[in-house]
Amino acid sequence: MKRLLCIVAMAAAAGVAAAGPCDRQLLPDLTFNLGGAQLDWPCGSTKNIYEMSGRYVPRNIIATRTQIFKDEAIVAMPRYKPGVPFTLGAVSLKSKGTPVISPFPCWPIQEEGNCNALQSAVDIVLDVQDILWVLDAGIVNTLEQPVRRCPPKVVAVNVRTGKVVKIVDLSGLVSSASRLQYLQVDYSEDGKVYLYVSDAGNRSILVYDATADRGFRVVLPKAVVLGCARRDVLYIALVRKQCGTPVLYFTYLGSSRLFSIKAANLRRGSASGSVVDVGPKPNKMVLLGSDNGCALFFRYKGQADVYMWNTGTAFRPENFLLVQKGNECRLPTQVVPGYKRLMWVIESNFHDYIQNSVGCSGASVSLHPLVKSAED
């Protein structure tokens, strides 16, 4: 099993005075506040034009997903509401406090209404070849008056060069009921690149062979929605077992059970007889990611504490390790490996954002290493 990249910070290393639960920072030099008011503009006139036209509304910007390349964090800022100038950005992890968010890889690729550009980046994955895969739902203003600007797609960007190296059109794999939410990227033993996309609306996972340019939809067994009042959120997370076998774990938020399927079976196009019922969930779970090994990170719905489960052990609460004690202000939306060989977490007051109760500067978003304080 790969070394689990989470850290435990001792109180003496915290270096911060007593503060409220929202402001406490155990590692202030590695804590970054991402705000909608801190964007990098080509010039002042461009910013003014965007403000006057309503294309820039700081309080409508929220970063929900991240991937880390060297000392840079790339963040997805879905166009849930109007006024999001760019949907994919990057910040330097060498900056302090509240860094400036720059469009990634450039401004032209962010143009709303241009189907050759990104419309709404809802998930991102950085693969082992330093290719960033961006799931673009094609729908903007999702939380207000949804508008389908373009067909859904996955855009691949070489993070070293900033060049787009591939665009995958998913329109042939979706229907009017589709709700594409999460993306995972996998390499087969023969070097082929596979994309797995959760489609909550159709109770399915889209599988796309990016090397051969062909894909299909794998319909999941009806058992995965038992106990669900509705098909809400279909979480997926890819882990690698000790033997190197990639396994995709998945669950609906409202489902009472966790399921898995070996990636090799998923690539063959059939879930029949291949889906494993991992076990009952103690509560509604939000899957947050993996360490690129066999550790799976999660939290419970409405709760900020982050837990880690070694997927090589039985799926039972006694095997769930509390790795970060949360606070009442922000909820984690993803955990990823990255800078300084640490596990990082991005968290926000997404619940306030949905209710339109954030301040003028936007949502409260924090990016920092996964930390378990000594008193916990």
Side-chain angles (χ1 to χ4, degrees):
M1 174 180 177
K2 296 182 180 180
R3 183 174 66 90
L4 299 180
L5 304 176
C6 52
I7 64 174
V8 177
M10 299 303 292
V16 292
C22 301
D23 303 320
R24 185 182 63 168
Q25 296 178 359
L26 293 175
L27 295 174
D29 290 340
L30 291 177
T31 298
F32 304 91
N33 301 312
L34 310 181
Q38 307 297 323
L39 302 187
D40 183 22
W41 295 90
C43 59
S45 59
T46 300
K47 180 180 179 181
N48 291 336
I49 291 171
Y50 271 70
E51 286 179 326
M52 294 295 291
S53 63
R55 287 184 290 167
Y56 175 42
V57 183
R59 70 193 309 267
N60 285 355
I61 299 171
I62 186 169
T64 58
R65 309 289 285 176
T66 188
Q67 293 288 286
I68 298 176
F69 175 69
K70 294 185 176 180
D71 58 1
E72 187 174 59
I74 303 168
V75 294
M77 299 175 289
R79 285 184 166 123
Y80 290 133
K81 300 179 182 181
V84 181
F86 52 88
T87 183
L88 191 65
V91 299
S92 170
L93 298 179
K94 289 187 175 181
S95 57
K96 302 294 182 181
T98 304
V100 172
I101 307 175
S102 303
F104 182 87
C106 58
W107 269 98
I109 201 174
Q110 313 286 341
E111 184 183 357
E112 185 176 338
N114 178 359
C115 290
N116 292 318
L118 295 170
Q119 301 308 295
S120 184
V122 296
D123 200 8
I124 53 179
V125 176
L126 181 65
D127 74 13
V128 294
Q129 301 294 333
D130 296 332
I131 303 298
L132 183 79
W133 299 84
V134 185
L135 176 59
D136 180 3
I139 302 173
V140 301
N141 306 342
T142 319
L143 295 179
E144 294 191 354
Q145 293 181 327
V147 178
R148 177 169 290 285
R149 296 290 191 198
C150 302
K153 61 181 179 288
V154 175
V155 178
V157 181
N158 185 318
V159 293
R160 294 183 180 274
T161 65
K163 302 294 184 182
V164 173
V165 295
K166 193 174 190 63
I167 298 178
V168 176
D169 184 356
L170 298 176
S171 58
L173 302 177
V174 299
S175 70
S176 58
S178 290
R179 283 184 289 111
L180 307 186
Q181 297 170 331
Y182 292 99
L183 168 70
Q184 293 291 292
V185 179
D186 187 26
Y187 279 77
S188 61
E189 291 183 356
D190 57 3
K192 291 184 178 180
V193 187
Y194 285 87
L195 312 179
Y196 310 134
V197 180
S198 68
D199 184 348
N202 283 319
R203 200 186 78 233
S204 62
I205 295 173
L206 308 185
V207 178
Y208 194 89
D209 180 343
T211 305
D213 277 323
R214 60 171 179 255
F216 46 85
R217 179 194 299 173
V218 176
V219 179
L220 301 173
K222 292 181 179 179
V224 304
V225 294
L226 291 178
C228 294
R230 58 190 180 89
R231 298 179 184 180
D232 41 30
V233 184
L234 179 55
Y235 297 104
I236 58 175
L238 189 67
V239 305
R240 296 190 180 278
K241 298 292 189 174
Q242 288 179 312
C243 57
T245 302
V247 176
L248 190 75
Y249 285 84
F250 59 91
T251 184
Y252 274 95
L253 177 63
S255 170
S256 61
R257 308 187 75 85
L258 177 70
F259 299 88
S260 72
I261 183 172
K262 289 183 178 179
N265 293 330
L266 196 58
R267 296 179 207 135
R268 282 196 282 267
S270 175
S272 178
S274 301
V275 171
V276 176
D277 184 340
V278 180
K281 299 186 295 188
N283 204 338
K284 293 181 178 180
M285 294 171 61
V286 175
L287 302 189
L288 298 174
S290 77
D291 66 344
N292 288 336
C294 54
L296 184 65
F297 296 86
F298 67 91
R299 65 174 174 84
Y300 295 115
K301 180 184 177 182
Q303 299 179 29
D305 293 349
V306 178
Y307 295 87
M308 181 183 70
W309 169 51
N310 176 358
T311 57
T313 65
F315 183 65
R316 292 198 295 263
E318 56 264 32
N319 292 325
F320 302 161
L321 177 65
L322 176 65
V323 291
Q324 178 174 286
K325 188 71 175 175
N327 62 57
E328 60 186 21
C329 305
R330 290 186 290 265
L331 296 174
T333 53
Q334 191 176 21
V335 172
V336 297
Y339 186 51
K340 293 186 179 293
R341 295 180 59 81
L342 303 173
M343 293 301 300
W344 290 72
V345 59
I346 185 170
E347 54 190 22
S348 66
N349 60 338
F350 190 75
H351 45 295
D352 294 327
Y353 176 86
I354 292 177
Q355 296 171 1
N356 206 31
S357 59
V358 299
C360 295
S361 60
S364 173
V365 181
S366 179
L367 176 67
H368 58 81
L370 197 61
V371 175
K372 188 172 186 292
S373 63
E375 63 267 26
D376 295 332

